[in-house]
Structures are given as C-alpha cells and as structure tokens.
Amino acid sequence: MQILCLAIAAWFMGWGVGFAQPAPQIGSQASMFNQVKSWMGETHKVSVDEVKIAPLDPRVQVQSCSKSLTVDHPFTSKDTVRVRCADPVWQLYLQVSMPLPPPVQAIAPAASQGKPLTSSASPAVVVAPVSKTVVMPKRLIQRGTVIEADMLEEVSQTGGPADNSLLQSMKDALTAEAVRDLSAGQALRSSDIRRAILVKQGQLVTMTVGEKSGFLITVRVEALQDGRMGEQVRLKNTESGRQISGVVTGPSMVKGLQ
C-alpha cells in the first residue's frame, strides 16, 4: 500500500494527472443563465424576465456540462446562487436580483362614522410586529477589509419597513470584502459587501487534488490570476512550469479540477 501511494504521489507531482480543460463552447454561459432564471422563477414564483443576473468576470469561462446543472442558494440571502456541474466538476457563484414582494399592509378598522361599535361589528385586524434577524459589525470595519466571524454579530430587531437587502446571517458576509467603511451597530446590506479576492496573482497557494478518488494530495502552486470564492483560476507548478486550473475554495486555497 505504501508503495502504491508513493507511486500515485510521484505520478501526480510529475503532473501526469491531466488538468487540461475543454475549450469553452459558445452558448454555455447563456444556457447556464437561462437555467438559473428558470430555477429562480419556479422557486420564488416570479417571472423569468424579471430575474437579473450580474455579469461574470471576463476571465471566467463557463464550460459545457454533460449533466444537468445543480442550482441552489448556498447562503440565507437570496442574492447569491450557486451553480454546480458534476461532469466536468466545477462550480460558480452568481449574483442575482428579482423584484421585491409588495409590502404587507395592516388592515385598518372600519370607519364607525361617530357611532359606537356594536357586538355584531367586525373587530379590527391587529398585525403583530415582525421580528427579524440582522447582521451588524461589532466595531468599525474599514473599506477593503476581508470580513471574519469575530467582527460581526446577529441582532434581533422588531418592526421597521421590509428590506430584503439586509443580511440575515453572518454566513452571508464571511470572506466577503467591505466596499465602504462599516460602522458598529449598522445593519449590513448586500450592497455593503462584495466577494473578496481570496487568491492573488503571484501568490503561492495550497491546492488539493484527489479527495473524491480515495486519496488526497496537497501541493503548493503559484496563482497566475486573482480569484474570488468559487471562481476558476489558472495556476502554475513552480517546479515543472506546467499550467493547470483550480477553483478557489478559501483564502489562499484552491481545489484542482479533475
């Protein structure tokens, strides 16, 4: 068994594992966008034409998927959609928007026209205050800071107008970057953050390969471009000089494409 593992490792370090990706096919991105819009329409009961998807980074090339795409919301917020392909293995995070639902209005009591209500009169409908969870910074977060869990707290609020742009879970902000200075105690909105660059061009990052194949190999490679969570980036083996591709999974972390 030890001999087998060493052989596999040696084979990989020589870059015998093929990471070359098929050339992107025309229409792959459009097809993915159409499937995401259809999924959003069915899931949230909105018109497909009203679903908007933010443009992808020009560096991202959408590969054709031989199987059906899997679409879901990875976070509490509905502004982010994750798209996954099983063959070849890749995933992308998309920023989406859809029309806001009409605000819920309290039913006013019927006008009595100066007359006392009788026992047969219909009572007024009282709408109880709605409690919601919002995310707030514990302290000042400066613009450009990559947000971590100990910087935030979840606070329960009652009342106030409905605002679907407010973050409802800390998970929605983790590893994101503040686009402006964020004050302590200020409820965060999706417009206050953006996906942070977790892998920078020229940086040595850790790449893992083979997790689903029964073995796991970890190597250090050089990033040839910046990348955010879920984006595919080009990498280089500093020893052999061979270029490969990987998907950003965290700060200075990528997963090799198999």
Side-chain angles (χ1 to χ4, degrees):
M1 180 60 69
Q2 293 180 346
I3 295 175
L4 177 60
C5 292
L6 289 174
I8 293 175
W11 179 49
F12 174 78
M13 292 304 294
W15 299 109
V17 179
F19 289 102
Q21 300 302 311
Q25 299 183 10
I26 298 176
S28 296
Q29 177 173 316
S31 176
M32 178 183 68
F33 277 18
N34 289 336
Q35 292 184 59
V36 170
K37 287 184 177 183
S38 297
W39 181 84
M40 290 286 291
E42 295 176 0
T43 303
H44 300 289
K45 309 304 180 185
V46 297
S47 171
V48 173
D49 295 333
E50 295 178 308
V51 178
K52 306 299 180 183
I53 303 177
L56 290 175
D57 189 303
R59 299 169 302 177
V60 177
Q61 296 181 343
V62 180
Q63 296 177 267
S64 178
C65 188
S66 64
K67 298 183 179 180
S68 298
L69 295 175
T70 301
V71 184
D72 67 346
H73 286 302
F75 310 123
T76 304
S77 171
K78 307 307 180 188
D79 297 332
T80 301
V81 167
R82 176 174 58 185
V83 183
R84 291 179 288 179
C85 175
D87 184 22
V89 177
W90 56 261
Q91 67 177 0
L92 287 174
Y93 290 81
L94 305 178
Q95 297 298 312
V96 299
S97 61
M98 55 185 175
L100 298 177
V104 178
Q105 298 180 348
I107 301 177
S112 61
Q113 297 181 351
K115 299 179 182 180
L117 294 175
T118 64
S119 58
S120 60
S122 301
V125 177
V126 179
V127 178
V130 178
S131 178
K132 56 187 177 184
T133 300
V134 297
V135 179
M136 295 183 176
K138 295 181 181 178
R139 57 184 182 274
L140 173 66
I141 300 178
Q142 294 183 335
R143 176 183 177 182
T145 302
V146 177
I147 299 175
E148 300 178 358
D150 61 356
M151 302 178 182
L152 306 174
E153 61 181 345
E154 294 181 355
V155 179
S156 180
Q157 286 187 343
T158 302
D163 189 347
N164 288 343
S165 68
L166 291 173
L167 301 186
Q168 301 177 15
S169 172
M170 291 195 302
K171 294 188 300 182
D172 299 341
L174 296 183
T175 70
E177 175 185 358
V179 299
R180 59 180 64 86
D181 290 346
L182 305 176
S183 303
Q186 168 189 337
L188 294 185
R189 291 178 166 82
S190 56
S191 59
D192 293 329
I193 60 175
R194 65 183 175 187
R195 289 186 296 161
I197 296 177
L198 303 180
V199 168
K200 297 183 178 180
Q201 182 178 359
Q203 177 186 21
L204 288 179
V205 300
T206 301
M207 183 177 72
T208 57
V209 177
E211 185 175 358
K212 294 183 178 180
S213 302
F215 65 93
L216 182 64
I217 296 176
T218 301
V219 293
R220 298 283 286 175
V221 294
E222 179 185 350
L224 299 180
Q225 60 186 129
D226 295 342
R228 295 179 169 85
M229 178 68 79
E231 290 184 347
Q232 181 175 319
V233 295
R234 291 181 293 109
L235 309 161
K236 182 176 73 173
N237 179 353
T238 55
E239 294 184 1
S240 66
R242 179 170 179 175
Q243 293 189 15
I244 53 176
S245 296
V247 174
V248 179
T249 58
S252 302
M253 298 288 296
V254 296
K255 181 176 67 174
L257 298 179
Q258 297 180 322

